[in-house]
Amino acid sequence: MLLAGCGGPQSTLAPDGPAAQAAAWLWWGMFVWFGLVLLLVTSLWLVAWRRRPRSYDAEQARQVGLRWTLAGGVLLPGLSILVLLAFGIPLGLRMLPLPLGGPPPLRIEVTGHQWWWEVRYPETGVVTANQLILPVGQPVDLELASADVIHAFWVPRLGGKLDMLPGRRLTMRLRADRAGPYRGQCAEFCGSQHAHMVLAVEALEMADFNAWQAARRVEPAVAREHAAAVRAFRPYCGECHRVAGISDGRRAPDLSDVGARPGLGAGTLEMEQGAMRRWLREHQRLKPYNGMPRHDRLPEDTLDAIAAWLETLVP
Ligand code: CUA
């Protein structure tokens, strides 16, 4: 019962990769060890409470006090820390991006922004946002950085947490052992919309991953019915947003495959029929202070046409 709430898409206790497995083992080890310590201390307290007090002279009282202080205040915590280090250090080593025997792992650059994730695949030039697509069963080196304040990368079922610091690039190695969706969340308070900084992670079989990357390198053709929307988008939205083959903005999320993402606004809205339209009209109410201006200056039918076109951007 107590642990029934510990499953789910964002649980450290449902690991699906070696780094997360190590963290889960450490958690269970600490749970058992400190459970035993709690049991011991509670038993001693109960014994002391029920026993009739003996009479000690001053010297005896000092001796007894000293013995308990040494055993309970030095020996027990010292032993606990030693046990924790003996298990924790080897497990921690498994999370480090140490050199591998074979070819170097795939590199993916993940940059935190207030409040969204920029994801770049430097080997192929593919860029996306608020979603991280990984090949399954392969170690992947994530190069973590920040464009503004401190964020923290955390996909609980795949690995530990690592800060994303402005001006520094830290590497985290992950491996997803099972294909499917995972959920990540910024784990460092980074402003009012910190909670709306969700990263949708998806592990794909290698062939699917390669197909996804290849599809992402093809620039989408614009159907005639969306030509007007694209003409409106380019000067108005394209300064900040990139859409492959259409615009080159870098300040805001790349939208080249936005229609295929599971959410909008970094987890603010689920992607469903009409979500894009709603997001464009109400984004400052749904996610206040996000960097996108209100679209009051655009006629509503133009805005809706842009939304309809963006929904078609699926690789
Ligand atoms: Cu980014 Cu919290």
Side-chain angles (χ1 to χ4, degrees), residues 101-181:
L106 172 72
R107 280 191 312 129
I108 305 177
E109 295 168 6
V110 183
T111 307
H113 294 257
Q114 280 175 313
W115 295 279
W116 58 281
W117 307 85
E118 177 184 347
V119 179
R120 294 179 170 268
Y121 298 77
E123 277 132 45
T124 53
V126 168
V127 186
T128 187
N130 299 329
Q131 66 169 355
L132 174 64
I133 311 285
L134 304 169
V136 81
Q138 301 283 325
V140 173
D141 278 357
L142 299 171
E143 295 186 351
L144 306 176
S146 168
D148 36 50
V149 300
I150 301 177
H151 304 269
F153 182 92
W154 195 32
V155 184
R157 295 186 64 182
L158 296 184
K161 223 181 267 179
L162 196 60
D163 275 358
M164 308 170 87
L165 307 168
R168 284 193 68 179
R169 203 166 265 281
L170 301 178
T171 306
M172 169 189 261
R173 181 164 300 158
L174 287 185
R175 193 181 80 204
D177 285 339
R178 195 183 49 82

Side-chain angles (χ1 to χ4, degrees), residues 31-275:
F31 180 70
V32 170
W33 178 260
F34 292 115
L36 290 175
V37 170
L38 179 69
L39 208 66
L40 177 71
V41 172
T42 314
S43 314
L44 285 173
W45 175 68
L46 281 174
V47 168
W49 187 36
R50 297 186 62 118
R51 211 162 65 166
R52 236 178 292 138
R54 278 189 229 153
S55 56
Y56 290 119
D57 62 33
E59 177 54 24
Q60 278 171 325
R62 200 184 67 84
Q63 287 274 339
V64 171
L66 190 66
R67 224 177 289 153
W68 280 107
T69 309
L70 283 178
V74 178
L75 204 64
L76 189 61
L79 188 67
S80 292
I81 288 169
L82 277 180
V83 170
L84 198 63
L85 288 178
F87 285 99
I89 289 174
L91 289 178
L93 282 176
R94 280 170 49 187
M95 300 185 193
L96 293 180
L98 302 172
L100 297 171
L106 172 72
R107 280 191 312 129
I108 305 177
E109 295 168 6
V110 183
T111 307
H113 294 257
Q114 280 175 313
W115 295 279
W116 58 281
W117 307 85
E118 177 184 347
V119 179
R120 294 179 170 268
Y121 298 77
E123 277 132 45
T124 53
V126 168
V127 186
T128 187
N130 299 329
Q131 66 169 355
L132 174 64
I133 311 285
L134 304 169
V136 81
Q138 301 283 325
V140 173
D141 278 357
L142 299 171
E143 295 186 351
L144 306 176
S146 168
D148 36 50
V149 300
I150 301 177
H151 304 269
F153 182 92
W154 195 32
V155 184
R157 295 186 64 182
L158 296 184
K161 223 181 267 179
L162 196 60
D163 275 358
M164 308 170 87
L165 307 168
R168 284 193 68 179
R169 203 166 265 281
L170 301 178
T171 306
M172 169 189 261
R173 181 164 300 158
L174 287 185
R175 193 181 80 204
D177 285 339
R178 195 183 49 82
Y182 296 90
R183 192 182 142 102
Q185 166 71 46
C186 178
E188 180 79 43
F189 182 72
C190 55
S192 62
Q193 292 300 325
H194 156 72
H196 284 147
M197 195 166 163
V198 172
L199 180 66
V201 182
E202 173 115 45
L204 299 176
E205 297 297 341
M206 199 62 196
D208 296 336
F209 176 75
N210 289 334
W212 176 77
Q213 291 237 64
R216 281 297 323 273
R217 285 202 296 271
V218 178
E219 290 179 359
V222 177
R224 185 175 305 186
E225 76 225 65
H226 297 303
V230 172
R231 269 200 306 279
F233 176 91
R234 222 181 246 130
Y236 195 82
C237 321
E239 287 290 309
C240 296
H241 291 286
R242 175 177 174 271
V243 172
I246 305 282
S247 62
D248 273 319
R250 294 258 327 232
R251 283 186 53 205
D254 188 294
L255 300 177
S256 306
D257 61 356
V258 70
R261 293 180 199 158
L264 285 174
T268 307
L269 285 182
E270 299 252 333
M271 185 65 96
E272 56 195 2
Q273 192 72 43

